[in-house]
Each structure stands twice: as C-alpha cells, then as structure tokens.
C-alpha cells in the first residue's frame, strides 16, 4: 500500500525547457516513511478554478530554476497533455495502481 502525504504548494511557476511558463505547482506527494517527494502535481489553465486541470508527474522530471524562481520540466507540454490528469472535482485515489500509471506513462516517453 502506498503511503503518501499530500502537501499543497503555493503556485510556484513551472517552465518548459525554452523558459515559457506552463503552469504552477499545485501539490507534492511525499512518501511518508522516507520523507522523499515522489510526485508533483502541476496545475494548468483555468480562471478562478474553472477549466483547471491537474497533471501528476514523477518529481524527478523537475529541476529547480533559480533564475525564474520556480521549476523547469524535462518533458514537452504535449507529453504532459497526454498523461494522467484530473479536474478539481475528479481527484483520483492515490494508490499503488495510480502511481504505476503515472510512472509507466512517463517511463515510456523518456
């Protein structure tokens, strides 16, 4: 059974490799026993919460971007758009199966 703690992040920007802003960090999912961040959830789009979508990714795909005060992601937006995602009203159950789905999706595309 997966033991994750979810921690909300205050809108830290996420950029693509070209420096364009893609979205913001919404949350981290931290493995409870070791305290290691396993997943990050990026928020895209929306105005006042309408049309918002959340894209969970393995945390290792992010690199700190000190110059821009956020993170840079190592995959293209088209890959993110095709990956696991959800809306605010359809949050998934974070279990081993969902984690495998995220991991497998990105492993096949890197």
């Amino acid at each position: 059974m997966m033991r994750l703690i979810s921690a909300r992040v205050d809108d830290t920007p996420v950029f693509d490799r070209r420096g364009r802003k893609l979205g913001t960090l919404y949350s981290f999912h931290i493995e409870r026993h070791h305290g290691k961040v396993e997943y990050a959830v990026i928020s895209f789009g929306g105005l006042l919460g309408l049309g918002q979508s959340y894209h969970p990714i393995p945390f290792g795909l992010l690199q700190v971007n000190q110059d821009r005060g956020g993170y840079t992601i190592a995959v293209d937006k088209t890959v993110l758009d095709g990956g696991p995602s959800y809306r605010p009203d359809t949050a998934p159950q974070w279990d081993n199966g969902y984690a495998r789905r995220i991991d497998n999706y990105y492993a096949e595309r890197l």
Side-chain angles (χ1 to χ4, degrees):
M1 174 185 246
M2 179 156 281
R3 304 267 186 215
L4 294 175
I5 300 168
S6 179
R8 179 83 165 82
V9 181
D10 291 328
D11 300 324
T12 302
V14 177
F15 302 94
D16 67 13
R17 290 178 268 200
R18 294 183 185 138
R20 293 177 297 206
K21 184 177 176 187
L22 295 174
T24 58
L25 283 178
Y26 176 72
S27 64
F28 287 140
H29 290 270
I30 304 162
E31 197 282 324
R32 184 182 303 264
H33 186 261
H34 299 290
K36 179 182 173 195
V37 177
E38 296 287 335
Y39 301 95
V41 178
I42 302 172
S43 173
F44 293 113
L47 179 64
L48 302 173
L50 300 173
Q52 193 120 20
S53 64
Y54 300 114
H55 298 257
I57 62 166
F59 183 71
L61 296 180
L62 293 175
Q63 297 174 327
V64 173
N65 186 325
Q66 294 287 352
D67 294 336
R68 294 186 173 267
Y71 288 89
T72 297
I73 189 161
V75 297
D76 293 328
K77 181 146 180 1
T78 56
V79 173
L80 291 171
D81 288 341
S85 67
Y86 58 94
R87 302 257 178 223
D89 59 342
T90 61
Q93 177 70 27
W94 280 83
D95 57 14
N96 287 335
Y98 191 66
R100 269 192 306 278
R101 184 174 159 214
I102 296 165
D103 292 338
N104 290 342
Y105 175 81
Y106 286 100
E108 292 172 2
R109 283 149 184 87
L110 296 178

